[in-house]
Amino acid sequence: MAKIAILGFGTVGSGVYEVLCRNAAGVSRRAGEPVEVKYILDVRDFSDRPDAHLFVRDIGVILSDPEVRVVVETIGGTRFAYPYVKSCLESGRSVCTSNKEMVATYGAELLALAKAHNCAFLFEASVGGGTPIITPMHQCLSANVISEVQGIVNGTTNFMLTKMVRENMSFDEALKIAQELGYAETKDPGDDVDGRDACRKIAILSSMVCGHHIYPQNIPTRGIRDISVADVEAARKLGCVIKLIAWMKHRPDGSVAAGVEPCLVPKSNQLAGVDDVFNAVMVRGDMLGDVVFYGKGAGKLPTASAVVADVVDALKHGVKIHDSLFWKPAEPVDGMLTDPTPAAYYVRVAGVAPAVIEAIYGYGRLVAERYDGCSYFVERADEKALAAAAKKVEAMGGAVKLVLRRLPEEG
Amino acid sequence: MAKIAILGFGTVGSGVYEVLCRNAAGVSRRAGEPVEVKYILDVRDFSDRPDAHLFVRDIGVILSDPEVRVVVETIGGTRFAYPYVKSCLESGRSVCTSNKEMVATYGAELLALAKAHNCAFLFEASVGGGTPIITPMHQCLSANVISEVQGIVNGTTNFMLTKMVRENMSFDEALKIAQELGYAETKDPGDDVDGRDACRKIAILSSMVCGHHIYPQNIPTRGIRDISVADVEAARKLGCVIKLIAWMKHRPDGSVAAGVEPCLVPKSNQLAGVDDVFNAVMVRGDMLGDVVFYGKGAGKLPTASAVVADVVDALKHGVKIHDSLFWKPAEPVDGMLTDPTPAAYYVRVAGVAPAVIEAIYGYGRLVAERYDGCSYFVERADEKALAAAAKKVEAMGGAVKLVLRRLPEEG
């Protein structure tokens, strides 16, 4: 009998408990022994529940019980989660978490701590919710050098963009529905719509690919607030949909680029058909080519089932997992991890006549003219050229309102 | 230093050798030690190669060398592969294979043998080529009860059907190109086009889901020989493409249904966009919902990279993998694992007037009329109703030329 503890009885934490109860037979068969929740840490009052005896408010109770072998952390944030997880690992207990903020910020340190104390630190549920991404990446692609990761990793914004594309909704209308359905925070939806959630996830995947810690603050991040109905319509004219793409590139010389930005995705690209709250991540290996992992990116039971799979792994394999998942500590770099590679771009410009746009941006085509400006498709530009063009636009009294990179046709 | 042996130096076997050489650094980091090929078993003459000293013709050399810890089997077929793999497992050596025929036929026995001798029997590369499917299924979905698997698992037929849909080619023309490109066997392309390859793969996945051996001979299997240009056109009218689908269902009462058959796939279904030699497998878990794994289903280096990932796993985890991958032996059942669930169907009938088709098949709509018959879309029928309708058609002097089930819109 393996005893575990759950820290935080919110959506995912209570889901972990539910999954362990409902699929107890399968879980214990695969773990090699029954798995039992001995403690649930939560400061709220659950004394009415039939299992009230499981609830504790002091992490010390869990840390001082040698029977507890694996700890599930589903508190979220870093204020409590980080010191609690540290203490658990230092006491030799494996930790399984869905907490992307903590992994993106302290992943290297916590992995090293786990290694030093002969236990596992696992976080499959931190990217893609229940969809397997992290385990296949470090385990099934272990014979590959990964050069690129590109995906849709935030279900809330993907739901909103799907509404905007399919029903011609504005950003504000789509946000309102996402909030009503509980997909977006009511108070401050910024983590989703400004791309911070996606940024943490691509920071985690980038760290795995590079083998050293990549920090969210070095990843240029833009959300979807500036996307208008007109942009969605212009994208359609160009045979594309607009998606919030999180990406990273790892070049043979070891250099890294990463970003979170709304992009034009050609309809022929696998990511174009990923709609609603679904997530999809494309990983490019040097031996394997492209693989895509697709599934629901959030939700109580899907996410919880990924946490429980990690619990099974921790019980079975323990520290041996680390050889492939491990990444080294590193300091944040100066500046941003931008990509100098030229690409095709869509730009929306105000206050400048369409006639001069080609002269400013180079070869391309006008997509739409509006009373206050125009949108233009640039066949080929890089970030430097785009910055120079923006300066020219400003010098003419205009303003660049939106820049969207176009992804390749396939991929 | 971990020493391994490769049995069979054909496409995949030589690919394994190449992957181990090219990505030696990453492989040894993840395996925790360098991995070295000590022997290659092949009866052909490789004495011209600089590494000729590695080649042996007698399995006894490998079996009597205690240094060899993991054996890669890439001979294919069962005549030599099966007894060799048995001997390797009986001597306590882990085996990693890409051989779907052997796994589909002897999987339960070989898994039991591995368990009894404290070693691993792994076969990620047997389904989906390099695309991770088996490992995510048994490991990342370990907290789920899987109720359904559905996918495109044969790259050759998917390439041919893509040609038929996009370029209005006939079956014969598409086959010729597939043969010229080396995707299909020149002598006897039956394994691919008659569905036997897909049948073996869905037998393996079904065995994993059910926990007991499911035999290929119990899975109703039809290939794509009967698909005509007219059927492709009719599918288009119905908003669908034709794909060779391998599927299985595991019901709560423990009963199993499985099949390989060309199906109408609605354009909104994730599998509709899977083209060319790509594979995609959808797995439905009770906690997770649907996940899809997508990537190249064949090819030397992709398949080899999956075999090498298994080698890394075998070196790291060994026998512990088995708790989740294991399935029990079982006898083949009498009859076929058919599915009684009603569905929508497309039928092409010759020698019967369109006017009487609705009376025979029930509510639906005429898709196309031809000089020699017609095609009809049946809103809802089951296998029994279809068999009864076919009898009526025959009684009227006609013949049912093709029956295609339509998959659901989503999934």
Side-chain angles (χ1 to χ4, degrees), chain A residues 211-228:
Chain A
H212 60 84
H213 202 100
I214 304 288
Y215 287 88
Q217 62 261 40
N218 293 128
I219 298 176
T221 298
R222 280 164 51 206
I224 63 166
R225 284 191 203 263
D226 298 333
I227 309 294
S228 68

Side-chain angles (χ1 to χ4, degrees), chain A residues 87-104:
Chain A
S87 303
C88 291
L89 294 171
E90 280 164 351
S91 71
R93 289 168 176 91
S94 292
V95 172
C96 307
T97 183
S98 60
N99 187 333
K100 43 203 165 271
E101 190 179 348
M102 182 178 69
V103 179

Side-chain angles (χ1 to χ4, degrees), chain A residues 202-220:
Chain A
I202 197 69
I204 295 170
L205 298 180
S206 301
S207 301
M208 282 176 60
V209 168
C210 303
H212 60 84
H213 202 100
I214 304 288
Y215 287 88
Q217 62 261 40
N218 293 128
I219 298 176

Side-chain angles (χ1 to χ4, degrees), chain B residues 41-299:
Chain B
L41 180 84
D42 203 299
V43 290
R44 291 169 293 174
D45 179 17
F46 291 102
S47 56
D48 284 350
R49 289 176 59 102
D51 45 17
H53 64 283
L54 298 178
F55 285 83
V56 297
R57 291 176 182 195
D58 174 9
I59 184 78
V61 177
I62 294 164
L63 291 171
S64 63
D65 186 337
E67 268 201 329
V68 175
R69 282 157 60 195
V70 175
V71 174
V72 166
E73 186 280 306
T74 47
I75 303 170
T78 57
R79 188 173 159 206
F80 295 102
Y82 171 59
Y84 288 177
V85 165
K86 257 179 90 164
S87 303
C88 290
L89 294 172
E90 281 165 351
S91 71
R93 288 167 176 91
S94 292
V95 173
C96 307
T97 183
S98 60
N99 187 334
K100 43 206 166 270
E101 189 179 349
M102 182 178 69
V103 179
T105 316
Y106 301 109
E109 182 194 343
L110 296 172
L111 281 166
L113 213 52
K115 199 171 191 173
H117 293 86
N118 238 20
C119 55
F121 178 60
L122 301 175
F123 40 85
E124 175 63 65
S126 67
V127 181
T131 310
I133 294 170
I134 289 179
T135 304
M137 251 178 83
H138 78 83
Q139 191 169 326
C140 305
L141 272 67
S142 63
N144 282 265
V145 174
I146 295 172
S147 58
E148 201 169 338
V149 176
Q150 186 171 284
I152 294 166
V153 295
N154 181 272
T156 305
T157 46
N158 203 48
F159 171 82
M160 289 172 60
L161 288 169
T162 303
K163 283 276 170 207
M164 291 167 74
V165 168
R166 285 201 193 147
E167 299 172 34
N168 284 317
M169 274 187 196
S170 70
F171 170 86
D172 291 326
E173 290 168 311
L175 176 58
K176 195 159 163 272
I177 293 183
Q179 286 172 324
E180 281 165 7
L181 290 171
Y183 294 149
E185 294 283 335
T186 316
K187 259 192 194 165
D188 177 15
D191 263 13
D192 290 318
V193 303
D194 295 325
R196 288 194 292 275
D197 173 80
C199 175
R200 288 171 192 139
K201 289 167 176 168
I202 197 69
I204 294 170
L205 299 181
S206 300
S207 302
M208 282 176 60
V209 169
C210 301
H212 59 86
H213 202 101
I214 303 288
Y215 287 88
Q217 61 261 43
N218 293 129
I219 298 176
T221 298
R222 280 165 52 207
I224 64 166
R225 283 191 203 264
D226 299 334
I227 309 293
S228 69
V229 175
D231 298 318
V232 170
E233 186 49 46
R236 192 176 290 134
K237 271 193 193 168
L238 293 165
C240 296
V241 290
I242 299 175
K243 295 282 180 193
L244 184 65
I245 300 294
W247 59 270
M248 72 85 54
K249 289 182 186 179
H250 190 213
R251 299 191 202 85
D253 66 3
S255 67
V256 185
V260 174
E261 55 184 320
C263 289
L264 293 192
V265 182
K267 294 238 166 81
S268 57
N269 189 303
Q270 277 292 317
L271 297 178
V274 177
D275 284 331
D276 297 318
V277 294
F278 281 85
N279 280 199
V281 175
M282 183 280 287
V283 182
R284 181 166 295 161
D286 62 342
M287 298 294 126
L288 185 50
D290 294 356
V291 286
V292 179
F293 306 103
Y294 169 93
K296 272 201 193 116

Side-chain angles (χ1 to χ4, degrees), chain B residues 21-40:
Chain B
C21 295
R22 282 172 61 177
N23 284 345
V27 169
S28 64
R29 179 172 77 84
R30 294 186 179 101
E33 57 191 320
V35 177
E36 193 186 277
V37 177
K38 187 164 182 185
Y39 302 108
I40 300 170

Side-chain angles (χ1 to χ4, degrees), chain A residues 23 30 130 139-140 142-145 270 273 286-288 291-292 294 302 305 308-309 313 316-317 320 323-324, chain B residues 22-23 30 130 139-140 142-145 270 273 286-288 291-292 294 302 305 308-309 313 316-317 320 323-324:
Chain A
N23 284 345
R30 294 185 179 101
Q139 193 168 325
C140 305
S142 63
N144 282 265
V145 174
Q270 277 293 318
D286 62 342
M287 298 293 126
L288 185 51
V291 287
V292 179
Y294 169 94
S305 88
V308 174
D313 266 8
K316 274 167 64 189
H317 304 306
K320 287 209 172 182
D323 307 320
S324 55
Chain B
R22 282 172 61 177
N23 284 345
R30 294 186 179 101
Q139 191 169 326
C140 305
S142 63
N144 282 265
V145 174
Q270 277 292 317
D286 62 342
M287 298 294 126
L288 185 50
V291 286
V292 179
Y294 169 93
S305 88
V308 173
D313 266 8
K316 274 168 63 189
H317 304 308
K320 287 209 170 184
D323 307 319
S324 55

